């Protein structure tokens, strides 16, 4: 018997990206123009989300790596109807004390009932670029499922965009990650 739709909640891929790729990504991110992370386009609420981020176009070579990870995870595990990135790749740097409280990555479900969206975010990924920090764990929770992850650098964590998750406060160093979302036809 195959697992139920809601049993497929987490896929991790140790990408085994070469150290020089991770260093190039880190250098690219640190030299990019970063700004305080906002919620829903322009609201900055540091008690809910504290970090800096920038954007990488999805046709950049970095986007190609993440696209391959997400499509592979979808083919092997999730089997969702996904088509493309919904936005550029988000580069995020969390420094000491930075965090992101509980949230979901998909749009407000009320908007789907209004017929505003024909597509929606279905898969989210977080690709960790470094692991030389403390705290900053990614926690995912749904019903009895609860995972707290602090993976090695180069590991992609892929999960349904509707799953509640958070980044716990960083207590030492910098947590550097890339985040991307895959869209597909709205759930039916």
């Amino acid at each position: 018997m195959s697992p139920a739709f809601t049993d497929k909640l987490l896929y991790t891929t140790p990408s085994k990206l070469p150290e020089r790729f991770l260093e190039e990504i880190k250098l690219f991110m640190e030299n990019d123009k970063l700004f305080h992370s906002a919620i829903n386009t322009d609201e900055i609420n540091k008690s809910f989300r504290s970090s800096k981020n920038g954007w990488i176009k999805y046709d950049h070579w970095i986007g190609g790596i993440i696209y391959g990870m997400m499509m592979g995870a979808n083919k092997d595990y999730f089997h969702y109807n996904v088509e493309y990135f919904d936005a550029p790749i988000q580069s995020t740097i969390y420094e000491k004390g930075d965090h992101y409280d509980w949230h979901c990555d998909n749009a407000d479900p009320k908007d789907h009932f209004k017929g505003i969206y024909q597509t929606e975010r279905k898969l989210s990924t977080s690709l960790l670029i470094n692991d030389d920090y403390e705290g900053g764990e990614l926690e995912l929770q749904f019903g009895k499922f609860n995972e707290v992850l602090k993976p090695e650098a180069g590991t992609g964590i892929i999960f349904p965009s509707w799953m509640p998750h958070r980044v716990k406060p960083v207590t030492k160093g910098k947590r550097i990650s890339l985040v991307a979302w895959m869209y597909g036809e709205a759930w039916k």
Side-chain angles (χ1 to χ4, degrees):
M1 180 181 218
S2 63
F5 171 78
T6 56
D7 290 341
K8 295 183 176 187
L9 299 175
L10 177 66
Y11 187 96
T12 59
T13 175
S15 65
K16 305 298 183 201
L17 288 173
E19 183 66 32
R20 71 171 216 238
F21 277 30
L22 294 173
E23 286 302 317
E24 285 293 322
I25 293 170
K26 184 177 174 181
L27 185 62
F28 180 86
M29 289 172 65
E30 289 177 336
N31 288 325
D32 195 16
K33 183 178 181 180
L34 300 177
F35 48 91
H36 288 285
S37 300
I39 305 160
N40 297 330
T41 67
D42 60 0
E43 178 188 345
I44 295 176
N45 177 350
K46 289 188 179 183
S47 65
F48 183 74
R49 182 181 188 186
S50 175
S51 62
K52 291 186 178 163
N53 71 281
W55 299 97
I56 301 171
K57 291 185 177 184
Y58 34 74
D59 61 353
H60 191 279
W61 67 267
I62 294 171
I65 289 170
I66 294 173
Y67 183 84
M69 287 176 154
M70 293 184 81
M71 293 305 283
N74 189 57
K75 183 176 191 260
D76 292 344
Y77 187 67
F78 293 104
H79 308 286
Y80 290 175
N81 179 8
V82 294
E83 299 172 24
Y84 53 90
F85 287 131
D86 90 307
I89 311 303
Q90 181 181 19
S91 59
T92 309
I93 298 178
Y94 294 87
E95 297 187 43
K96 186 176 179 181
D98 286 345
H99 67 286
Y100 195 174
D101 211 346
W102 289 106
H103 66 284
C104 298
D105 291 340
N106 59 345
D108 187 336
K110 293 184 299 255
D111 291 336
H112 292 283
F113 293 116
K114 295 176 193 170
I116 293 172
Y117 298 110
Q118 300 302 312
T119 61
E120 65 183 290
R121 285 181 178 171
K122 291 192 171 179
L123 285 177
S124 297
T125 190
S126 180
L127 172 61
L128 277 292
I129 304 304
N130 70 322
D131 54 17
D132 57 344
Y133 59 91
E134 293 178 15
E137 298 91 349
L138 177 64
E139 184 173 9
L140 301 108
Q141 193 172 65
F142 179 72
K144 293 180 181 178
F145 177 86
N146 187 44
E147 289 284 330
V148 179
L149 306 163
K150 186 174 183 283
E152 293 181 7
T155 302
I157 301 166
I158 303 164
F159 55 94
S161 297
W162 49 260
M163 185 184 304
H165 58 284
R166 69 176 174 169
V167 175
K168 293 177 143 190
V170 171
T171 57
K172 183 177 180 183
K174 285 185 192 178
R175 179 189 191 271
I176 303 172
S177 63
L178 297 173
V179 178
W181 310 274
M182 293 292 283
Y183 253 55
E185 184 179 340
W187 299 110
K188 295 181 180 182

